[in-house]
Amino acid sequence: MVMSGKKDAVLHHIQLIDIHGTRFYDIIFAHIDAPDQARRARIGVDDAYPDPQPGDAISVSYLMNVVTGIARR
């Protein structure tokens, strides 16, 4: 559990979705220290870097164990 902070990960899958005109990414990623544990999150498009792709090395930001954004490492 990550209460707050950042954790290094690898992005495995990303899907752009639209819910009533608001765009989100559904992402699947795994932390570097637990590569066999896939995790899922939904983040706003504005909370990700431009053009995220599977295989990207990322830094996942957390607040109260909720993913708040991703950045390219």
Side-chain angles (χ1 to χ4, degrees):
M1 180 186 290
V2 181
M3 291 304 285
S4 65
K6 294 182 180 183
K7 206 147 180 176
D8 290 341
V10 174
L11 186 59
H12 291 296
H13 178 78
I14 187 156
Q15 181 176 0
L16 180 63
I17 61 169
D18 185 297
I19 301 174
H20 303 292
T22 303
R23 295 171 10 143
F24 298 91
Y25 286 127
D26 278 347
I27 61 173
I28 299 175
F29 61 96
H31 293 149
I32 296 296
D33 61 359
D36 296 331
Q37 276 188 323
R39 296 169 181 262
R40 302 181 84 96
R42 178 172 288 162
I43 58 173
V45 170
D46 293 339
D47 298 316
Y49 56 93
D51 196 30
Q53 297 294 315
D56 286 353
I58 61 173
S59 178
V60 182
S61 297
Y62 287 91
L63 181 61
M64 300 299 288
N65 204 39
V66 174
V67 175
T68 59
I70 60 172
R72 183 177 284 133
R73 283 191 288 128

